[in-house]
């Protein structure tokens, strides 16, 4: 499978921003590999709409948490699993593909790092707390992981989405079992062929593609700064479109 990683993902450091989180970390209900893992929970606990989130390599950056909290404000119970046992990727690895690739293989590879297990437990926990419609999102590399999770034979998600996708290609979505919404940035590869491949699967809800040529890679996560109008406007549009996409799928399920 060909993996396309945008240059900006490899050589652009995280921004310096601030945000006071609205949610809280809590342990997942089950251990993974004998280790207790945590997740960031935000949004109304009464909601029947649940979202599992896979963060980018910068971890729980303030802008990423702000994105999650804002999605929660739109009516979703959000569970953002902490993917990295050893913390986010060190800033000094930026620009060094060998170190960055090695870090991903060690800390953020789908199989080696039990991502499927983490996702399944987070989804089970959301269901146990009243969520009847489940979705999964990712940021950057997290979009790759989210698509992998939503392609499993026993996956439970009704939709998958993510801004500034990295390592997302037509072969990656070959076994995807739900509609997809992608929001690439100005320096991301063309995602239209990927969306068209999913559209051809004939899901009842159309997949969504919205490109932001005024926003840089990472604008919804670790490389985003929402004090910059272009970043803020683009992120707001992603959040609104994503929430409408998920809500439409959930409404169709109830009909």
């Amino acid at each position: 499978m060909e993996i396309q990683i945008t240059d900006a993902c490899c050589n652009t450091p995280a921004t310096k921003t601030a945000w006071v989180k609205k949610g809280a970390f809590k342990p997942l209900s089950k251990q993974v590999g004998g280790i207790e893992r945590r997740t960031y929970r935000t949004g109304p606990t009464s909601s029947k709409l649940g979202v599992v989130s896979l963060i980018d390599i910068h971890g729980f950056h303030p802008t990423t948490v702000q994105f999650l909290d804002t999605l929660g404000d739109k009516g979703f119970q959000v569970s953002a699993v902490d993917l990295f046992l050893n913390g986010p990727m060190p800033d000094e690895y930026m620009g060094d593909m060998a170190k960055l690739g090695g870090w991903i293989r060690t800390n953020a590879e789908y199989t080696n790092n039990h991502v499927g297990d983490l996702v399944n437990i987070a989804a089970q926990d959301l269901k146990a707390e009243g969520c009847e419609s489940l979705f999964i999102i990712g940021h950057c590399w997290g979009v790759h992981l989210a698509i992998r999770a939503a392609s499993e034979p026993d996956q439970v998600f009704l939709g998958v989405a993510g801004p500034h996708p990295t390592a997302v290609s037509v072969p990656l979505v070959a076994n995807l079992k739900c509609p997809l919404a992608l929001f690439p940035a100005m320096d991301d590869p063309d995602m239209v062929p990927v969306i068209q491949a999913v559209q051809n699967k004939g899901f009842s809800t159309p997949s969504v593609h919205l490109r932001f040529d005024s926003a840089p890679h990472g604008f919804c996560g670790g490389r985003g700064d929402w004090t910059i109008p272009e970043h803020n406007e683009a992120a707001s549009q992603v959040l609104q479109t994503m929430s409408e996409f998920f809500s439409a799928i959930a409404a169709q399920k109830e009909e």
Side-chain angles (χ1 to χ4, degrees), residues 24-30 39-51 75-79 121-134:
F25 288 98
K26 62 183 294 186
L28 291 171
S29 63
K30 298 177 183 177
T39 185
Y40 178 73
R41 293 294 300 271
T42 188
T45 56
S46 60
S47 176
K48 295 182 179 181
L49 305 177
V51 176
F76 297 87
Q77 286 199 59
V78 179
S79 178
I121 295 167
Q124 290 170 13
D125 291 352
L126 286 170
K127 287 181 69 176
E129 295 179 31
C131 291
E132 298 177 357
S133 298
L134 296 177

Side-chain angles (χ1 to χ4, degrees), residues 184-188 211-217 219:
M186 63 184 185
D187 36 12
D188 289 326
R211 188 174 186 89
F212 294 90
D213 285 323
S214 62
H217 179 84
F219 66 92

